[in-house]
Amino acid sequence: MSTFYDPVESSFYSWCVERLLASAQLRPLTAAGVAELGAGSGLPLIEAVGRAESAARVRGFEHDPQAFRAARRLVELKAPANYSVEFGDFFAHAVSAQERCVIANPPYLPARPDAAHGPDLYGGRDGAEVTRRLLAGPFDLVMLMVSSIADPLGVLTEARDRGYRLLDWAVRPIRFGEHCREPAVWRHIEALTTRGRAFHRADEYVLAGVTWLREGCAPHLPGADPAVLAHVLAPGGERAAA
């Protein structure tokens, strides 16, 4: 496997993490540490923790040996004060995690790219299986990248049903890259689109950095309206999530 790094998507993820870590209001929930699924290259988090000037410690978990070695080398080179990368299964760690916060740019392609040595970007048959596993975890604060081509309405419903309320979000358009355009992947994206579970334009889709807070935690913090986010991720389809 190779390590996934897209400058636009990775920079956006890094910016979303930075906003989370820099939030004084969320500091009580990040003080116990932040766990990251999929360190990838490690660069987005190295940049985010450097800019945020946060004391919260972030531990990235990477299960792919090649990606782990690359991220570990970069961490050793850049020496961020409060970011480390560990080799292993994130979900095994989550069972007894001390952290109250999880972050991730989870894989969200609904089929495996044909390239045998490409990055592991498969998110399950609808692209959202890894995202749903994260929402089923023990964490009180969750910041995930949510894609409009990976059942976004189902993800919003899952978060609600798991006892989370929407706290904050930001979006940006992403142009379809080579992995999305591979025939096997594109066929699945189009099938999901036909069934109203993926939303995109001819050349681009929407990626959102979404923060959820478990109901009962920090009730004084104002939330956001899920219907507005649903409209952005799935124009015209948001009524299906009601």
Side-chain angles (χ1 to χ4, degrees):
M1 293 290 181
S2 63
T3 302
F4 173 76
Y5 180 78
D6 175 85
V8 174
E9 184 169 335
S10 296
S11 294
F12 181 52
Y13 172 51
S14 179
W15 179 79
C16 292
V17 173
E18 177 190 351
R19 290 180 71 222
L20 181 84
L21 295 177
S23 171
Q25 293 179 314
L26 296 177
R27 201 162 293 152
L29 294 161
T30 58
V34 178
E36 180 195 27
L37 176 141
S41 69
L43 185 58
L45 263 292
I46 290 172
E47 294 178 341
V49 299
R51 294 190 302 259
E53 298 181 349
S54 167
R57 299 195 63 82
V58 184
R59 286 199 292 170
F61 289 83
E62 179 55 62
H63 73 276
D64 177 67
Q66 182 175 337
F68 167 73
R69 288 193 294 270
R72 191 65 174 265
R73 284 195 297 270
L74 192 59
V75 167
E76 290 174 352
L77 177 65
K78 299 291 186 180
N82 53 340
Y83 179 56
S84 61
V85 178
E86 299 183 20
F87 180 68
D89 180 358
F90 170 87
F91 292 104
H93 165 74
V95 173
S96 58
Q98 299 300 308
E99 297 92 346
R100 298 180 64 189
C101 176
V102 62
I103 59 174
N105 182 13
Y108 56 78
L109 295 190
R112 296 187 186 279
D114 293 331
H117 301 292
D120 185 5
L121 304 178
Y122 180 56
R125 289 181 296 174
D126 63 0
E129 289 182 9
V130 179
T131 299
R132 283 194 288 269
R133 285 191 70 185
L134 288 165
L135 289 169
F139 302 96
D140 293 326
L141 182 64
V142 180
M143 198 292 289
L144 307 178
M145 310 308 288
V146 177
S147 169
S148 69
I149 60 172
D151 193 22
L153 298 180
V155 168
L156 295 181
T157 299
E158 180 82 14
R160 181 197 65 198
D161 292 348
R162 291 287 182 179
Y164 288 103
R165 67 184 179 96
L166 183 62
L167 191 65
D168 187 29
W169 55 272
V171 300
R172 72 150 297 151
I174 302 290
R175 293 188 66 83
F176 282 113
E178 60 176 323
H179 300 297
C180 290
R181 291 293 191 184
E182 288 190 19
V185 178
W186 189 251
R187 284 194 299 271
H188 280 76
I189 292 174
E190 289 296 88
L192 289 171
T193 302
T194 300
R195 302 205 306 269
R197 298 178 67 186
F199 303 84
H200 62 86
R201 294 186 180 274
D203 297 319
E204 64 185 20
Y205 58 98
V206 172
L207 190 65
V210 185
T211 302
W212 287 280
L213 186 62
R214 194 176 297 281
E215 289 285 1
C217 294
H220 62 286
L221 294 181
D225 186 347
V228 178
L229 177 57
H231 177 70
V232 173
L233 287 170
E238 65 273 11
R239 289 180 295 276

